[in-house]
């Protein structure tokens, strides 16, 4: 029985890894599509969203089978529950990628204002989301709670950029009122990227839970707080 459940858990982790790669690529493509207003690239994101949804359903079903057939306990149960929640968060990240890509499809501007985009730090925000997702994946692969908790601090930059974006775009609307709709739609991109950071933080929480049986949800977690708690 032990050998059987071990092989099932290895397979489940492999599926999560594949889902992770798919979602990472979706976010990367969506970010590139927005920065370049590449509608073909954005359309690819929309088409691949169906694969993300199908993957989520497959993993959910496999988790149910593992619980029903093998009745995992202790660390195995924590792992299975963590994979279930990580799967849900990855699917939501796929939704955000789709939403970001739709901006590029619906945007009527011939090109983005380079100075505005630089001031908004949009490219930096996209890079930070991808870096957080990559670090969380590494944390799971290496079963490193240090890498997982370090993700929390990175989310603060996303909050900062998102908060500043509203002020920058409001000023831009005052100077270029004909761009109001464009700016409002662009604000939604920042909000989706900020929410993506929240879900990656959720993923990091689940990794810590699996590794250390420590529930961080609703605990006001930060990398610093976690370190203090461990002392």
């Amino acid at each position: 029985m032990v050998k059987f459940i071990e092989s099932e858990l290895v397979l489940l982790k492999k599926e999560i890894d594949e889902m992770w790669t798919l979602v990472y690529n979706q976010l990367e493509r969506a970010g590139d599509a927005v920065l370049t207003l590449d509608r073909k690239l954005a359309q690819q994101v929309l088409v691949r969203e169906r694969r993300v949804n199908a993957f989520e359903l497959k993993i959910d079903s496999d988790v149910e089978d593992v619980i029903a057939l093998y009745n995992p306990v202790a660390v195995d149960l924590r792992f299975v529950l963590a994979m279930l929640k990580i799967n849900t968060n990855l699917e939501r990240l796929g939704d955000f990628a789709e939403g970001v890509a739709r901006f590029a499809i619906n945007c009527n501007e011939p090109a983005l204002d380079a100075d505005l985009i630089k001031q908004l730090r949009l490219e930096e925000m996209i890079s930070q989301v991808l870096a957080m997702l990559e670090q969380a994946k590494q944390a799971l692969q290496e079963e490193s709670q240090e890498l997982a908790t370090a993700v929390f601090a990175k989310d603060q930059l996303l909050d900062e950029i998102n908060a500043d974006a509203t002020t920058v775009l409001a000023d831009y609307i005052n100077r270029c009122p004909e761009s109001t709709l464009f700016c409002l739609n662009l604000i939604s991109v920042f909000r989706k990227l900020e929410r993506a950071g929240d879900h990656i933080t959720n993923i990091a929480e689940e990794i810590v839970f699996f590794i250390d049986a420590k529930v961080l949800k609703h605990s006001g977690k930060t990398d610093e707080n976690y370190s203090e708690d461990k002392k």
Side-chain angles (χ1 to χ4, degrees):
M1 177 68 77
V2 173
K3 289 184 178 179
F4 285 124
I5 190 171
E6 284 181 355
S7 64
E8 290 296 327
L9 296 182
V10 168
L11 179 60
L12 180 58
K13 190 171 185 178
K14 181 176 182 294
E15 288 180 330
I16 286 290
D17 184 71
E18 292 173 356
M19 172 76 154
W20 212 305
T21 299
L22 176 59
V23 170
Y24 181 95
N25 290 338
Q26 286 286 91
L27 284 168
E28 186 175 41
R29 286 193 186 96
D32 289 343
V34 167
L35 292 171
T36 61
L37 294 185
D38 187 331
R39 290 177 176 80
K40 289 184 179 179
L41 188 59
Q43 190 61 43
Q44 291 177 18
V45 175
L46 268 58
V47 170
R48 288 184 171 90
E49 169 63 12
R50 286 174 288 186
R51 291 180 57 196
V52 175
N53 292 336
F55 231 128
E56 184 210 14
L57 294 175
K58 174 67 166 57
I59 292 173
D60 277 353
S61 177
D62 289 343
V63 167
E64 291 172 2
D65 288 345
V66 169
I67 293 175
L69 295 174
Y70 301 102
N71 193 27
V73 296
V75 66
D76 288 344
L77 180 58
R78 293 204 308 271
F79 175 79
V80 171
L81 293 177
M83 295 306 101
L84 179 63
K85 293 183 179 181
I86 288 173
N87 182 43
T88 299
N89 281 286
L90 287 173
E91 190 277 332
R92 290 294 294 129
L93 289 173
D95 289 343
F96 291 132
E98 179 187 18
V100 170
R102 286 190 182 280
F103 169 84
I105 292 175
N106 297 328
C107 183
N108 294 321
E109 300 290 324
L112 297 180
D113 184 324
D115 290 337
L116 173 64
I117 296 304
K118 183 177 181 180
Q119 189 177 2
L120 287 168
R121 300 163 67 189
L122 177 57
E123 188 171 359
E124 182 183 357
M125 192 178 198
I126 293 169
S127 296
Q128 183 76 338
V129 168
L130 294 173
M132 288 173 64
L133 189 56
E134 185 64 27
Q135 182 169 325
K137 183 179 182 181
Q138 184 182 357
L140 178 60
Q141 291 174 336
E142 299 180 11
E143 296 187 5
S144 169
Q145 60 190 23
E146 289 78 13
L147 285 173
T149 54
V151 171
F152 304 149
K154 292 182 180 296
D155 187 46
Q156 295 173 6
L157 177 62
L158 301 184
D159 295 338
E160 173 191 323
I161 294 175
N162 180 56
D164 291 344
T166 302
T167 302
V168 172
L169 287 171
D171 180 65
Y172 190 80
I173 289 173
N174 286 333
R175 291 185 284 110
C176 307
E178 70 279 3
S179 298
T180 298
L181 180 59
F182 161 78
C183 290
L184 291 175
N185 290 334
L186 190 55
I187 286 175
S188 73
V189 171
F190 282 88
R191 288 179 177 170
K192 287 179 175 64
L193 291 171
E194 189 273 333
R195 290 292 294 132
D198 291 341
H199 282 271
I200 297 171
T201 298
N202 291 344
I203 289 172
E205 290 177 3
E206 297 306 326
I207 294 170
V208 173
F209 167 70
F210 153 57
I211 296 170
D212 200 35
K214 185 178 184 66
V215 179
L216 297 184
K217 193 172 186 180
H218 305 312
S219 64
K221 73 281 177 187
T222 64
D223 191 18
E224 181 180 349
N225 289 343
Y226 181 80
S227 298
E228 290 296 323
D229 192 50
K230 290 289 287 183
K231 291 179 180 179

